[in-house]
Amino acid sequence: MTKSADTHCPYCALQCAMTLTSPADLAPASQPGPGPAPAPAGSKVYPVLDVVSRDFPTNRGGLCRKGWTSATLLNHAGRITEPLLKGADGIHRPIGWDQALDLAAAAVKDARARYGADAVGVFGGGGLTNEKAYQLGKFARLALGTSRIDYNGRFCMSSAAAAGMRAFGVDRGLPFPLEALDTASTILMLGSNVAETMPPFVQHLQGARDAGGLVVVDPRRSATAAFTADGAGLHLQPLPGTDLTLLLGLSHVVIHEDLVDTAYLRERTSGYSAVVRSVNSFWPERVQSLTGVPAELIRETARLLAAGARKGGSYILTGRGVEQHVDGTDTATAAINLSLLLGLPGSARSGYGTLTGQGNGQGGREHGQKADQLPGYRKITDPAARAHVAAVWGVPEDLIPGPGLPAVQLLKSLGKPDGVRCLFVHASNIAVAAPDANAVIEGLRSLDFLVVCDFFLSETAAEADLILPVLQWAEEEGTLTNLEGRVLRRRRAISPPAGARSELWIMARLAERLDAPSTYSDDPETVFEELRLASAGGLADYSGIDYAMLDRGEAAYWPYPAGSTGTPRLFRDGFAHPDGKAAMVPVVPRRRRTPAAEAAGHATAPAGTAMTLITGRLLEHYQSGAQTRRVAELAAAQPEARVQIHPAAAEAMGIAAGTLVSVSNGRGEVVCRAEHSTAIRPETVFLPFHFPGAESANRLTEAATDPVSGMPEFKFNTVWVRPVAAPESARMLQTTEAS
């Protein structure tokens, strides 16, 4: 008998709706071993479930290649289905669950006894369900007794979140339903390539394209930027790292051409005069000299936004391209200031939003994984917040530790005398995804004990002393919160392998062994009911949401206090600051070292030409690629990293298309093939960050961070690029293929 379950895609925060069905007859999977190699030629991989797209407001029946192939991994031959312990020879061998849990508990007790509670750390992920993210924060603080918890959302949403909090008093990625974009006549999108990262999203850009009002800011002529062709809009192609300057130039035009919404500014904002002073020196011609964007395009963009606000509606959307910088919070703040000048946030037909990337990137940052937060988006330093959560947990308030370390600082502390000595990793592949990846791997290897929960032998799991096999998305129940702040149900469609366990079960069993205070359930709905209580009264209030209403298909946008109908559109009646107004915060660019200046400052710079490196995603892959590199169709389409370089720059350096290139700096070296493209600026190169080993882009990225958000500098790094000579090329090619 065929069974089915309505659920959502396991990948990005668009959370496209799908139905999973169990076919009557299934052939065995033929996907190979634990590595990411594609299936042998002529073989056929039969997924254990069929994927059927389902109509839903975000995707309207569409799925991308990742979504269509998502079920392939459920019966992948490389699936980890029993706990694995690394031996003295470096080989992982199966052990039983009781032994595995005893070893993990013993490692925690040993670290605490020798170094103190903060010697135990937890690194979570934006792919965890709300229930697992909530219980992980509770488990870290009460069962482990540590303040040292953070998650990979620090690499994703932290700058936008910090900017939203200081401007609006609350952070919800899109404070309006995604469908609201459909009627906009102007959309300014900065630093996001949705055409590749979440393809069904582009349906919501069509209205602006038809009106000639889609404006895309990106140093590359990305697939999304290409949608502006043929009169559909504008593509602004600034120098990397100059987005903040560009936004100040746009604000200058809005102010000095009297395009501001004066009534809105007077009634709904504070700080306007300080912002005016901060942008006075950023007139369009000066901004052109700093960013490379023509002054007339700057003026035209500002006028389009103002006209849209008066007529069909204007939206400003930001993504990681402008946020993953050491000034990412200020850049997002500048975008918010521009939106406030035009009166967009909280209006009926316009708005500002930021595009959440990971599947539960929104919910994952609301309920306790962040170093400084408690459930409900409460500050861990707020006495009232601590008292509320302590009452729900049934513990004294002083048992809850204070704030910990944001992700980059947490990873820098690994193995250090006063740092983390025993680490638990959930839903994150930090050996590939974290900045300065070589240093992160060294840190992992210096730990006394590393526990990784995963369903594949990811690059991080390969470093673990103990690997605990966990459930995949279609094997579990729970909830997630999509990029609109809408809470969704994940439904189980298939039984997991006999040896795999939910993280909820693992936390509950470890809590027993550690004699932890409070209670820990392995039932998702029970955990969600506690989450409702813990979030009640907080900024991210889920207290009015339950499984029954979600199962009925009711739309549930937080904040959703008990007795309410939720909040599809935030800020209609005011902002979350005590005075009800949005705070405009003046920001100015910091001085950045150009590649030429950095090269001049190096007495022993690497060989080659100094260029600016930007990193990003490919259509076929997701995050670190730990999953998508194991899907044969996706791996065949994008089997390796390629460095994108402008043909003129390549010719000047003697780099032919398809040949091996060295991209290096003081942190590491990447060796990969060159891809010529006129879509990239001549002084810039682009690398995707989905690949490990010799192709790992994050070997090159800097672990410098935004002082407000803790966001690392992913999008502006100096590298030296050179062709690899023939004898060296053969050796490096062998090394690259082996890695």
Side-chain angles (χ1 to χ4, degrees):
M1 180 179 179
T2 301
K3 298 180 180 180
S4 67
D6 289 341
T7 190
H8 295 266
C9 180
Y11 291 115
C12 80
L14 200 59
Q15 285 296 285
C16 296
M18 57 173 58
T19 298
L20 302 177
T21 60
S22 302
D25 298 303
L26 284 170
S30 57
Q31 196 86 332
S43 67
K44 179 67 175 175
V45 176
Y46 294 88
V48 69
L49 292 172
D50 286 337
V51 174
V52 180
S53 63
R54 184 161 56 90
D55 188 45
F56 191 69
T58 58
N59 65 305
R60 293 176 176 153
L63 293 175
C64 73
R65 296 186 71 179
K66 295 185 289 289
W68 284 117
T69 58
S70 56
T72 302
L73 296 175
L74 294 168
N75 63 332
H76 191 290
R79 177 77 181 271
I80 300 172
T81 58
E82 51 192 338
L84 300 175
L85 179 67
K86 181 182 284 187
D89 57 1
I91 296 174
H92 287 96
R93 294 181 176 85
I95 60 172
W97 268 106
D98 283 339
Q99 183 185 357
L101 295 170
D102 288 344
L103 285 169
V108 170
K109 293 175 182 177
D110 179 65
R112 292 194 304 203
R114 295 171 63 190
Y115 307 106
D118 279 349
V120 183
V122 175
F123 200 96
L128 295 174
T129 62
N130 288 318
E131 293 80 359
K132 290 190 287 187
Y134 166 80
Q135 187 151 289
L136 186 61
K138 177 182 177 181
F139 173 79
R141 294 181 172 99
L142 297 187
L144 301 179
T146 184
S147 69
R148 299 307 196 244
I149 176 172
D150 211 62
Y151 80 127
N152 63 11
R154 185 71 64 176
F155 305 153
C156 183
M157 294 301 302
S158 59
S159 289
M165 290 296 289
R166 72 182 182 184
F168 305 131
V170 67
D171 155 45
R172 197 179 91 186
L174 293 185
F176 47 80
L178 188 56
E179 289 180 298
L181 298 178
D182 296 343
T183 58
S185 60
T186 307
I187 296 174
L188 171 61
M189 181 172 289
L190 303 108
S192 184
N193 184 17
V194 291
E196 292 198 74
T197 59
M198 45 181 72
F201 187 107
V202 299
Q203 300 171 83
H204 302 284
L205 304 178
Q206 192 58 49
R209 293 182 67 203
D210 291 342
L214 177 62
V215 183
V216 176
V217 177
D218 198 314
R220 294 192 303 145
R221 183 74 173 173
S222 66
T224 305
F227 279 128
T228 64
D230 302 322
L234 305 173
H235 175 209
L236 311 187
Q237 199 168 5
L239 286 162
T242 64
D243 306 289
L244 174 51
T245 301
L246 175 62
L247 285 162
L248 296 177
L250 290 169
S251 291
H252 183 283
V253 174
V254 169
I255 291 169
H256 289 273
E257 293 192 5
D258 294 325
L259 302 176
V260 300
D261 187 330
T262 53
Y264 179 97
L265 288 169
R266 181 176 60 254
E267 297 166 7
R268 305 204 61 187
T269 72
S270 63
Y272 170 67
S273 58
V275 168
V276 172
R277 290 192 297 271
S278 71
V279 304
N280 273 341
S281 62
F282 292 93
W283 60 91
E285 284 73 19
R286 180 178 179 231
V287 171
Q288 174 181 311
S289 71
L290 297 171
T291 67
V293 177
E296 279 311 304
L297 284 184
I298 296 170
R299 292 189 174 93
E300 186 176 355
T301 298
R303 293 164 187 165
L304 275 172
L305 286 166
R310 293 191 300 267
K311 299 175 184 177
S314 281
Y315 287 86
I316 296 176
L317 305 175
T318 63
R320 304 303 80 74
V322 298
E323 298 161 6
Q324 287 180 324
H325 293 283
V326 292
D327 62 357
T329 301
D330 285 351
T331 304
T333 297
I336 292 172
N337 286 342
L338 175 61
S339 73
L340 291 169
L341 289 170
L342 295 163
L344 309 185
S347 66
R349 296 185 303 171
S350 299
Y352 163 83
T354 185
L355 303 180
T356 304
Q358 295 187 80
N360 198 31
Q362 180 70 63
R365 68 182 185 266
E366 295 166 3
H367 299 299
Q369 283 193 96
K370 290 181 78 172
D372 56 351
Q373 284 183 191
L374 290 172
Y377 226 134
R378 289 180 162 90
K379 291 183 182 295
I380 201 167
T381 54
D382 178 2
R386 294 172 63 85
H388 174 85
V389 173
V392 173
W393 289 349
V395 300
E397 181 270 326
D398 60 6
L399 206 60
I400 301 174
L405 298 174
V408 172
Q409 283 68 37
L410 177 64
L411 295 178
K412 284 183 177 180
S413 81
L414 299 184
K416 300 293 194 301
D418 58 348
V420 169
R421 308 300 293 260
C422 173
L423 180 69
F424 289 77
V425 178
H426 296 257
S428 189
N429 188 14
I430 50 180
V432 176
D436 198 1
N438 285 339
V440 170
I441 293 171
E442 288 180 14
L444 294 174
R445 291 174 179 172
S446 70
L447 289 166
D448 295 344
F449 204 76
L450 173 61
V451 182
V452 175
C453 293
D454 212 327
F455 34 80
F456 290 119
L457 190 67
S458 69
E459 287 72 25
T460 305
E463 302 293 336
D465 297 287
L466 179 64
I467 306 172
L468 302 180
V470 295
L471 307 187
Q472 289 198 62
W473 60 290
E475 301 162 351
E476 65 180 6
E477 297 282 333
T479 63
L480 298 98
T481 307
N482 77 349
L483 78 174
E484 313 162 294
R486 177 171 175 161
V487 183
L488 307 169
R489 274 281 278 124
R490 172 174 283 181
R491 296 180 179 87
R492 176 171 161 167
I494 189 173
S495 297
R501 298 287 187 272
S502 166
E503 278 105 331
L504 294 179
W505 182 91
I506 293 169
M507 285 183 260
R509 301 292 84 76
L510 283 174
E512 292 171 357
R513 285 166 166 80
L514 295 169
D515 297 320
S518 196
T519 59
Y520 305 83
S521 177
D522 56 12
D523 173 61
E525 187 169 8
T526 299
V527 176
F528 189 81
E529 289 299 305
E530 184 177 299
L531 181 158
R532 292 176 62 194
L533 296 175
S535 72
L539 291 172
D541 189 333
Y542 282 34
S543 61
I545 305 171
D546 59 33
Y547 273 32
M549 65 177 291
L550 297 177
D551 287 338
R552 290 193 298 269
E554 296 180 29
Y557 296 87
W558 71 262
Y560 203 125
S564 75
T565 56
T567 316
R569 199 162 190 127
L570 280 170
F571 312 139
R572 294 293 297 272
D573 301 319
F575 297 95
H577 291 304
D579 62 1
K581 294 184 176 183
M584 301 184 75
V585 179
V587 291
V588 293
R590 303 176 205 165
R591 187 179 299 274
R592 285 181 177 269
R593 286 171 64 86
T594 65
E598 189 161 339
H602 275 266
T604 57
T609 302
M611 307 278 280
T612 298
L613 168 69
I614 54 177
T615 64
R617 301 178 181 178
L618 300 173
L619 170 66
E620 291 81 5
H621 290 300
Y622 178 72
Q623 299 296 84
S624 72
Q627 296 176 71
T628 51
R629 284 184 277 114
R630 289 175 164 83
V631 177
E633 298 95 317
L634 303 179
Q638 292 286 356
E640 61 182 2
R642 287 178 176 258
V643 60
Q644 192 176 85
I645 185 169
H646 194 280
E651 182 178 7
M653 289 184 275
I655 297 172
T659 59
L660 283 184
V661 174
S662 165
V663 185
S664 65
N665 57 25
R667 290 175 290 278
E669 181 181 27
V670 167
V671 178
C672 60
R673 299 185 191 278
E675 176 184 290
H676 290 184
S677 174
T678 56
I680 191 86
R681 292 185 62 101
E683 69 287 311
T684 304
V685 292
F686 170 83
L687 270 173
F689 55 69
H690 312 293
F691 299 90
E695 298 177 332
S696 176
N698 281 318
R699 288 183 169 196
L700 306 171
T701 52
E702 188 177 4
T705 57
D706 182 299
V708 180
S709 67
M711 170 70 79
E713 180 61 82
F714 282 115
K715 303 297 187 187
F716 187 84
N717 289 274
T718 296
V719 294
W720 281 261
V721 181
R722 65 178 178 88
V724 177
E728 190 181 5
S729 175
R731 177 181 59 80
M732 287 187 166
L733 181 60
Q734 291 176 349
T735 304
T736 301
E737 291 175 344
S739 64

